[in-house]
Amino acid sequence: SIELHLEEYIPIGAGEAIFDFELVGDGSPTADNKYDIIVTAVGRELVDAYYEVFSRAGFTLLSLEPESHSIARSLIKKGDKDTFMLVDIGRESTNLSVVGSSLIRLNSNIAIGGDSITRAISKELKIDTKEAESVKHEKGMSPNKVNNQAFFATLSTVTVLKDEIVARYQYWEELSVGANGSKILSIILSGESGNLIGLADYLDASIGIKVLVANPWVNVASFADYIPPMQKVESLGYATAIGLAL
């Protein structure tokens, strides 16, 4: 029954996907005798590729987990039942997910990442990518006379990212009453470019919802008891790894 409806929710054919599901809550049917479930689907070719790598290395692959699940475990405080949108900005892509009651409710990837911003700065300022990377981290989206060109180069790429976030935010808001009645409380940024100067403020003002930079250590330890041996901006790139360890 699930497989018959799979193509309504994922961008690939059911025959091209490997999927699994879990019941939401205690597994009891709703008033109209239906079940709420969370479905995770991944392209068969990708799974086969991982399976082959592990097999050649002499390991028996028991299961695979999408990175969005690990990111959620890292960024959402354990026991928090509110709904959040997580935006993990990697080097080449950005993972967008809506998490409610600690479950992934909606997930997608877009081909825009930190390197997209770096390339835009490099092209606009006519500098190499190494220097553009430094400009990105040092100046970010802070508009001023000195940083004017870099700001608009960054803005052109970030605007595309913002539009993708808005599209999914609006989609969830339309579905939220039917899904579980919960609207997104805030957007949480992580990943290597999640701490880009001015990004959270820009998205906050553009979308009209609170946007925060993540704390990947929220379920590891209190800063009152332990200070991780790395800068916060660096730890944002380890959200997936931290979540895997939890």
Side-chain angles (χ1 to χ4, degrees), residues 205-243:
S206 300
I207 303 173
I209 185 174
K210 184 187 297 183
V211 179
L212 309 168
V213 177
N215 171 18
W217 305 101
V218 67
N219 292 312
V220 176
S222 167
F223 288 156
D225 302 320
Y226 172 74
I227 302 297
M230 64 171 63
Q231 296 293 323
K232 181 178 181 180
V233 63
E234 184 182 1
S235 69
L236 291 174
Y238 287 90
T240 302
I242 294 171

Side-chain angles (χ1 to χ4, degrees), residues 16-225:
E16 303 170 40
I18 291 179
F19 71 94
D20 199 358
F21 69 93
E22 61 179 309
L23 292 170
V24 176
D26 61 4
S28 301
T30 59
D32 54 356
N33 203 33
K34 294 182 179 180
Y35 292 89
D36 287 330
I37 62 171
I38 298 294
V39 177
T40 300
V42 181
R44 186 176 297 274
E45 286 188 5
L46 180 61
V47 174
D48 288 345
Y50 276 108
Y51 180 81
E52 183 177 355
V53 168
F54 279 90
S55 294
R56 288 186 176 184
F59 293 99
T60 300
L61 187 61
L62 298 178
S63 65
L64 290 170
E65 180 182 67
E67 64 178 348
S68 55
H69 291 252
S70 301
I71 293 170
R73 278 200 303 274
S74 171
L75 305 187
I76 306 299
K77 191 172 182 61
K78 189 174 182 179
D80 196 324
K81 300 298 183 182
D82 286 321
T83 300
F84 305 90
M85 175 179 279
L86 307 183
V87 180
D88 186 73
I89 308 173
R91 296 190 67 87
E92 292 294 342
S93 64
T94 295
N95 183 280
L96 302 174
S97 57
V98 175
V99 181
S101 298
S102 301
L103 294 171
I104 304 295
R105 305 283 181 167
L106 179 69
N107 179 246
S108 62
N109 277 277
I110 58 174
I112 300 172
D115 284 356
S116 305
I117 299 173
T118 301
R119 288 191 291 268
I121 295 173
S122 175
K123 182 179 179 181
E124 180 67 28
L125 272 61
K126 296 179 175 57
I127 56 178
D128 61 36
T129 54
K130 184 176 181 180
E131 188 176 352
E133 187 75 13
S134 296
V135 170
K136 180 180 73 175
H137 289 298
E138 292 173 9
K139 306 294 184 182
M141 297 188 68
S142 53
N144 55 60
K145 292 181 179 179
V146 177
N147 191 46
N148 213 30
Q149 279 183 289
F151 168 74
F152 284 108
T154 302
L155 182 63
S156 65
T157 302
V158 170
T159 298
V160 178
L161 175 62
K162 181 261 295 181
D163 290 343
E164 295 287 348
I165 294 173
V166 168
R168 286 154 182 80
Y169 173 78
Q170 292 178 340
Y171 176 72
W172 176 261
E173 292 297 280
E174 292 172 1
L175 291 179
S176 62
V177 174
N180 66 350
S182 59
K183 293 186 177 294
I184 294 171
L185 181 66
S186 62
I187 295 174
I188 301 176
L189 304 178
S190 64
E192 293 183 357
S193 294
N195 201 40
L196 185 71
I197 296 172
L199 177 60
D201 291 338
Y202 168 74
L203 294 176
D204 192 311
S206 300
I207 303 173
I209 185 174
K210 184 187 297 183
V211 179
L212 309 168
V213 177
N215 171 18
W217 305 101
V218 67
N219 292 312
V220 176
S222 167
F223 288 156
D225 302 320

